[in-house]
Amino acid sequence: MGKKVLVVDDDPDVRLFNTTVVEENGHTPIEAANGEEALQMIRSEAPDLVILDVLMPRQSGIRLYRQLKTDASMKDIKVMVLSGINKKSFLKSQQALSEFGGGDVPEPEIYLEKPVDADVLAATIRKAIG
Amino acid sequence: MIKKILFVTKFEELGFDAIKSLLSLRESGLEHIVFMYVIEREKVAMRRGIGYQKDEEIRLKEAANIRFIDWAERLFEIGMEVGVYIQVGGMAAEVVKAARKEEADLVVIGRSGKSSLEQFYSGSTVTELIRRLPVPTLVYKPVPENPFAFGKPFQRPLLATDWSPASRKAVDYLIGMKPLIEEVRVVHVIDENAIEGPTVMDAQKARKDAKAKMEEICGRFEAAGIDARSHVYVGAPAEGVEKAARECLATMVALGSSSKNRWVERWIGSVPQEIAEKSAYPTLLIPPDRK
């Protein structure tokens, strides 16, 4: 049975691409255009996987990821970061926020840098949630 | 307190060096910078035989995105929060929309390279922004013209006052930026025409009145723990402010923005607009309270 996948990206073209790949793999996509919208949807929809962009208006993926991984009710949701921001910068930012007293967070389960092929994305989704 | 900045760039006039100097605002609570690039509609508009230039839009968006990703990585790595807008539309309208959506505390823009004539015909983005934005606007200037004004723009602001409500609001605003300010210089420029009286006494009286009002303003800064000194200049307002900024080694000119309507400004200009466009110094424009 298909699972619920939240696609978070401010670019509508990227959301269309990602949701299409999710659907073609038998899962149900839901969408959010920024970190704030995504947080509301995670709370109301409890997705099995979040495909998360980083650089977005209102709230970045970095802050959202941190909120997810420090909240007991959401920390087990799988997160695939899919961004133009490189992994090293993402990890450094989390480290910097930890130093400001935010507490440590684990590395994302999956980190893909844009652009990504549909085949690679599909295979990564399958590996994450079947 | 400035927690969030909307940083509007066309890249050629405002780059990462400007962002670096704004990072001094972290001492005063800055934690979020939102980048914005507006692709002006005429760049991708419908053309006969070509139609809407979608390819050009994509090219411009991707070029901006590449620059923003590079800047964002550097800011994320030091624990800053970063956002981005890349929009097609009218510059002023899109900036105002994004500033409201993001609830930005300060909008930073570069000085447009347009000549006065071009501004007259196309409308100045700066004028439009200071008229419509409910939050202060910092018009940033490139370094080579003025090495003093780079690094920490809020360190030694020159407050140009004309006693208007917006000028009074500028005083409160700068007092709120106390952790960043080393010293404030307060200047009022008396228009030469205003002192053309029958006697020397009239001129002296105008100077004395202005000085008394400025001492009151300096007293407010000093009561808040900020060193302040006042100066009176005589001449054309924009030129006097520029001269004062240079002589005081100011790092920025701060002033209340005009509440004149758009057509008045288009025809006769306004002092804040003139300083924002022509001064070599970063210019902070503080709007009056909107009713």
Side-chain angles (χ1 to χ4, degrees), chain B residues 257-269:
Chain B
S257 60
S258 161
S259 52
K260 282 180 193 169
N261 74 44
R262 182 171 30 171
W263 289 107
V264 173
E265 287 187 349
R266 186 72 70 85
W267 283 99
I268 64 171

Side-chain angles (χ1 to χ4, degrees), chain B residues 168-179:
Chain B
R168 286 198 291 275
K169 200 176 156 200
V171 175
D172 296 333
Y173 188 83
L174 289 179
I175 287 174
M177 304 304 292
K178 188 195 160 195

Side-chain angles (χ1 to χ4, degrees), chain A residues 9-65:
Chain A
D9 202 300
D10 59 318
D11 185 334
D13 293 339
V14 175
R15 286 204 304 276
L16 179 63
F17 175 84
N18 292 349
T19 52
T20 305
V21 173
V22 167
E23 256 176 338
E24 283 176 353
N25 279 271
H27 301 298
T28 308
I30 48 177
E31 298 176 41
N34 60 57
E36 279 182 2
E37 266 182 45
L39 188 62
Q40 286 173 10
M41 296 197 76
I42 291 166
R43 288 195 169 122
S44 62
E45 302 283 333
D48 300 285
L49 173 68
V50 177
I51 301 178
L52 180 62
D53 185 23
V54 172
L55 193 52
M56 295 180 287
R58 298 294 299 167
Q59 187 190 35
S60 73
I62 282 175
R63 301 287 168 129
L64 176 63
Y65 181 78

Side-chain angles (χ1 to χ4, degrees), chain B residues 16-35:
Chain B
F16 197 76
D17 48 352
I19 296 170
K20 276 204 285 193
S21 82
L22 292 169
L23 288 179
S24 60
L25 294 173
R26 288 183 93 188
E27 287 169 42
S28 160
L30 177 67
E31 52 189 38
H32 195 158
I33 297 182
V34 181
F35 300 131

